[in-house]
């Protein structure tokens, strides 16, 4: 069985914060209960959060119904935009995925709204690289649970998770698998099992060339899923 690499999306494979600022502000204009304006700094700080967490962070004084009305409106508008226009895919993603998929099965698990990962795959023609995806907006579960879900669904017992935030690290620990920190992303990590400064570094971290042949580096694939 091939080993698995499970990816976060925002801050790991692409950066969609540039377009999200404008979308947020258009949604705010439609909802008169808020007068706030989105900024790049605020948008970046929301990366890695679920939609309910984003609602609570932005509108702590609103009711759950009021805040989710705004957040869900944003989510729908963002998926529509990104599916058509895409966003800033990090340099080297296509080449790295093409290299890794020869020896690993690739997956995405993100704390995004339903439809967000498919928008990425559609806009940038990336779907052929990935065996399966999962989103908190589809399952209603936290990222750690979704990592375990996708592993169970695909019969995965040997994997690493690649992400850019402390939340990603916690999710990997919850799922019982090693964590590779994408240091170029939006967040920090406490004690990652591996660190990459660019997405291209992932191939160097996991694959080594010896006598012209590619072989596995097994150091990161030493844990199995914990029940």
């Amino acid at each position: 069985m091939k080993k698995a690499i499970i990816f976060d999306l925002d801050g790991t494979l692409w950066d969609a914060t540039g377009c999200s600022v404008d979308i947020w502000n258009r949604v705010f204009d439609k909802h008169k209960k808020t007068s706030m304006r989105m900024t790049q700094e605020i948008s970046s700080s929301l990366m890695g959060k679920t939609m309910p967490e984003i609602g609570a962070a932005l509108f702590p004084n609103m009711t759950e119904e009021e805040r989710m009305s705004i957040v869900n409106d944003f989510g729908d508008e963002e998926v529509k935009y990104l599916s058509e226009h895409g966003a800033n895919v990090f340099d080297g993603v296509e080449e790295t995925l093409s290299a890794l998929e020869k020896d690993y099965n690739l997956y995405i698990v993100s704390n995004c709204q339903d439809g967000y990962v498919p928008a990425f795959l559609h806009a940038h023609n990336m779907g052929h690289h990935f065996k399966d995806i999962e989103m908190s907006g589809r399952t209603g579960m936290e990222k750690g649970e979704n990592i375990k879900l996708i592993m169970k669904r695909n019969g995965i017992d040997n994997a690493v998770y690649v992400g850019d935030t402390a939340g990603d690290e916690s999710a990997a620990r919850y799922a019982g698998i090693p964590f590779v920190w994408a240091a170029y992303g939006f967040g920090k990590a406490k004690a990652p099992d591996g660190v990459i400064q660019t997405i291209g570094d992932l191939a160097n971290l996991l694959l080594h060339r010896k006598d012209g042949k590619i072989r596995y580096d097994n150091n990161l694939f030493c844990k199995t899923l914990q029940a």
Side-chain angles (χ1 to χ4, degrees):
M1 178 185 295
K2 283 187 176 182
K3 298 169 183 178
I5 305 172
I6 308 172
F7 290 90
D8 169 51
L9 180 50
D10 287 314
T12 302
L13 298 178
W14 76 350
D15 177 0
T17 58
C19 59
S20 71
V21 171
D22 290 337
I23 297 170
W24 272 117
N25 286 328
R26 288 201 298 271
V27 169
F28 291 159
D29 288 341
K30 293 165 55 179
H31 291 266
K32 302 308 179 184
K33 284 186 175 293
T34 179
S35 60
M36 76 173 295
R37 307 306 292 170
M38 183 58 68
T39 66
Q40 191 73 41
E41 182 179 5
I42 297 173
S43 181
S44 296
S45 73
L46 301 174
M47 294 297 102
K49 297 183 184 297
T50 63
M51 299 306 275
E53 288 172 339
I54 289 173
L58 292 179
F59 316 112
N61 297 321
M62 288 187 183
T63 66
E64 180 72 13
E65 182 179 1
E66 289 171 338
R67 67 173 63 135
M68 290 311 299
S69 174
I70 299 174
V71 168
N72 288 335
D73 194 357
F74 165 78
D76 292 342
E77 291 296 324
E78 186 181 42
V79 166
K80 290 177 185 177
Y81 178 90
L82 292 175
S83 184
E84 180 178 354
H85 300 285
N88 177 31
V89 177
F90 292 123
D91 290 342
V93 165
E94 180 73 39
E95 296 82 356
T96 300
L97 296 177
S98 295
L100 290 173
E101 67 185 349
K102 298 174 184 177
D103 295 276
Y104 299 85
N105 287 327
L106 309 182
Y107 304 85
I108 297 177
V109 172
S110 173
N111 266 353
C112 59
Q113 68 269 37
D114 192 12
Y116 187 86
V117 175
F120 161 75
L121 299 177
H122 173 76
H124 298 285
N125 192 28
M126 295 280 186
H128 61 97
H129 291 300
F130 298 96
K131 299 295 184 182
D132 199 0
I133 64 172
E134 199 50 87
M135 300 158 285
S136 63
R138 181 161 68 181
T139 67
M141 299 191 299
E142 299 290 338
K143 181 172 285 186
E145 289 286 357
N146 282 328
I147 292 174
K148 293 177 71 171
L149 173 64
I150 210 167
M151 292 181 70
K152 181 179 181 180
R153 191 162 70 207
N154 291 278
I156 301 167
D157 60 7
N158 211 345
V160 300
Y161 188 73
V162 184
D164 65 307
T165 68
D168 292 334
E169 184 175 10
S170 296
R173 301 295 179 228
Y174 179 85
I177 61 175
F179 174 69
V180 175
W181 177 44
Y184 54 87
F186 298 118
K188 302 293 183 182
K190 295 180 179 179
D193 300 286
V195 179
I196 55 175
Q197 299 298 329
T198 70
I199 189 64
D201 291 343
L202 189 60
N204 296 328
L205 181 67
L206 298 179
L207 299 174
H208 292 271
R209 293 187 176 275
K210 185 178 182 180
D211 299 328
K213 297 181 179 180
I214 294 179
R215 62 181 178 84
Y216 288 121
D217 177 359
N218 288 307
N219 291 334
L220 286 175
F221 289 89
C222 58
K223 299 181 181 179
T224 57
L225 181 65
Q226 303 296 312

